[in-house]
């Protein structure tokens, strides 16, 4: 085999086999370049350590998927809880919306909700299912103040009258009185034009 001389260093001679050995030499600095990005890696691992205690504190310990736990209402104790044991639930069911307001016996509001607040839009706000969700939302707020028994005053001709009352009963409140307080005129103002359905 003929020996080749390197023009850069005339003293050194190399064979064709040496050329294959010489090529990996420029690739040696590449691992040092890869090692440089590895230095920030401990910073990345440090960030999840800060987040993990917050996640473990917020997650519930019981992770079962049974339907009994899903259906139970979550009653959160209110920050400035007033310890109200009995109150009044005002259900206003119109043709377009359902609003449930729960007050104490003096009339101070301790929980309220409406179909729009729960997340319904348009014609779905006037449905019986929307009224059920509204009653549950308002009663959860009121139960956070310690509400146990409630007097129900229903107003308006809407579709959510009965379903709102049933939802209040199903969530665990004791209903003492259910009264219809829809205002009836004694031939005072002219009524609106007849409703077309």
């Amino acid at each position: 085999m003929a020996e080749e001389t390197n023009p850069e260093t005339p003293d050194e001679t190399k064979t064709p086999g040496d050329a294959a050995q010489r090529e990996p030499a420029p690739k040696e600095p590449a691992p040092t370049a890869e090692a440089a990005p590895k230095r920030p890696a401990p910073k990345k691992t440090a960030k999840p350590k800060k987040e993990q205690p917050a996640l473990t504190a917020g997650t519930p310990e019981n992770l079962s998927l049974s339907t009994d736990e899903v259906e139970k209402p979550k009653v959160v104790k209110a920050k400035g809880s007033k310890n109200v044991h009995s109150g009044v639930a005002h259900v206003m069911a119109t043709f377009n919306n359902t609003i449930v307001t729960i007050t104490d016996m003096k009339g101070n509001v301790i929980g309220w909700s409406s179909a729009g607040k729960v997340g319904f839009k348009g014609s779905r706000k006037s449905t019986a299912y929307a009224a059920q969700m509204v009653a549950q939302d308002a009663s959860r707020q009121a139960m956070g103040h310690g509400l146990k028994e409630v007097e129900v005053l229903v107003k308006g001709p809407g579709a959510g009258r009965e379903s709102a009352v049933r939802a209040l009963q199903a969530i665990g409140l004791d209903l003492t009185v259910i009264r219809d307080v829809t205002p009836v005129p004694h031939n005072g103002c002219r009524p609106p034009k007849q409703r077309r359905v």
Side-chain angles (χ1 to χ4, degrees), residues 144-164:
H145 291 284
L147 191 73
K148 297 278 198 276
E149 60 179 24
V150 77
E151 181 179 318
V152 183
L153 304 179
V154 184
K155 181 190 287 188
R161 288 167 59 97
E162 287 84 20
S163 60

Side-chain angles (χ1 to χ4, degrees), residues 164-182:
V165 174
R166 286 202 182 105
L168 289 170
Q169 192 171 14
I171 206 164
L173 292 172
D174 295 328
L175 306 186
T176 55
V177 178
I178 301 171
R179 193 181 314 147
D180 188 359
V181 291
T182 306

Side-chain angles (χ1 to χ4, degrees), residues 7-98:
E8 295 173 6
T9 57
D11 298 332
E12 294 177 14
T13 58
K14 65 175 185 177
T15 60
D18 291 339
Q21 294 173 355
R22 287 262 177 143
E23 284 185 24
K27 292 182 181 176
E28 289 176 10
T32 57
E34 289 176 12
K38 289 182 182 176
R39 289 177 188 165
K43 293 179 184 176
K44 289 180 182 177
T45 54
K47 286 180 183 176
K49 288 179 183 176
K50 292 177 184 175
E51 293 172 6
Q52 283 175 351
L55 292 172
T56 53
T59 53
E61 294 177 1
N62 191 2
L63 298 175
S64 66
L65 296 174
S66 64
T67 55
D68 298 333
E69 294 177 9
V70 175
E71 292 176 4
K72 289 179 183 177
K74 291 183 180 178
V75 178
V76 181
K77 187 85 169 174
K79 284 184 180 176
S81 62
K82 300 171 183 174
N83 294 326
V84 179
H85 296 290
S86 59
V88 181
H90 302 269
V91 178
M92 188 172 82
T94 65
F95 290 122
N96 297 319
N97 204 350
T98 305

